[in-house]
Amino acid sequence: MNCSIREEILEDYKMTEEVVKRAFATIEFSDKKEHELVAKIRKSDAFIPQLSLVATNDHNEIVGHILFSKISIVNDNQYTESLALAPVSVLPDDQKRGIGKRLIQEGLDKAKRLGYKSVIVMGHPDYYPKFGFKKASFWGIKAPFEVPDEAFMALELEGNSLDKISGVVEYSSVFFE
């Protein structure tokens, strides 16, 4: 499928939230509130407008969305900025066509260009390693909640950027509201 990737703009918000809602409507592990999380992140200091991307089809309709937001990796001696990739959404009828893959790759490339050094994701352990993600525990990075080790992953956007980093990921409070 031909699609274009661009930054989300204010006029997209309502449609983007509908895309996110529809994308997660039939997902078993979903709380069906991902669209609300997107809206909350946009209003928080964790929001990075340049890293909220939409995929549009030939008719300029939004068919997918990805959001990266600011997080920290914290331990007693360190405070390291990073990004959370959450959520990535594609309309059900447009899934399995490479749109999610394009959104992720474009988002990772843009994050790197903007100077971010790492990304954390909680996701499918068979999918995200295709982009270079590894178990976060490899670096001693832990989630602030219970999650299977293989589903909590990290990616270095710059070589060895996580080598001396360890601790617990600190998400924006909007993730827990």
Side-chain angles (χ1 to χ4, degrees):
M1 170 186 203
N2 286 338
C3 74
S4 299
I5 310 290
R6 63 169 172 79
E7 281 183 32
E8 180 189 44
I9 57 174
L10 184 64
E11 292 77 21
D12 296 330
Y13 285 11
K14 186 176 180 184
M15 186 60 208
T16 299
E17 289 171 29
E18 183 60 28
V19 167
V20 175
K21 186 176 185 178
R22 288 174 53 198
F24 284 91
T26 60
I27 305 295
E28 184 181 332
F29 60 83
S30 168
D31 66 0
K32 314 298 185 244
K33 294 182 180 181
E34 288 82 2
H35 62 291
E36 294 173 15
L37 175 62
V38 168
K40 290 176 186 177
I41 291 171
R42 282 197 206 106
K43 295 174 185 166
S44 76
D45 59 0
F47 184 56
I48 308 163
Q50 303 93 317
L51 292 176
S52 183
L53 306 176
V54 294
T56 58
N57 64 16
D58 293 335
H59 306 290
N60 207 29
E61 299 163 323
I62 295 172
V63 295
H65 174 257
I66 192 167
L67 182 63
F68 294 81
S69 56
K70 295 177 193 173
I71 58 169
S72 301
I73 303 166
V74 181
N75 69 29
D76 292 340
N77 323 329
Q78 285 176 317
Y79 176 93
T80 306
E81 287 189 347
S82 187
L83 294 173
L85 187 174
V88 59
S89 312
V90 177
L91 287 175
D93 290 346
D94 294 304
Q95 291 176 4
K96 308 261 189 254
R97 297 182 180 179
I99 297 169
K101 180 180 179 180
R102 288 222 23 229
L103 280 164
I104 292 167
Q105 196 58 60
E106 190 84 22
L108 293 173
D109 291 346
K110 191 161 193 182
K112 185 175 182 173
R113 287 194 308 272
L114 290 171
Y116 291 96
K117 299 191 181 342
S118 64
V119 178
I120 304 291
V121 68
M122 187 175 70
H124 200 286
D126 293 331
Y127 184 69
Y128 288 95
K130 297 174 188 176
F131 301 95
F133 282 89
K134 298 177 186 171
K135 287 192 255 183
S137 61
F138 176 81
W139 292 280
I141 299 169
K142 300 177 183 130
F145 41 75
E146 193 70 32
V147 60
D149 188 49
E150 64 276 359
F152 194 68
M153 295 168 269
L155 172 70
E156 294 175 310
L157 293 176
E158 188 177 284
N160 304 318
S161 60
L162 292 174
D163 269 5
K164 295 183 176 152
I165 307 300
S166 65
V168 177
V169 171
E170 195 174 89
Y171 290 90
S172 169
S173 61
V174 299
F175 277 83
F176 305 102
E177 291 176 357

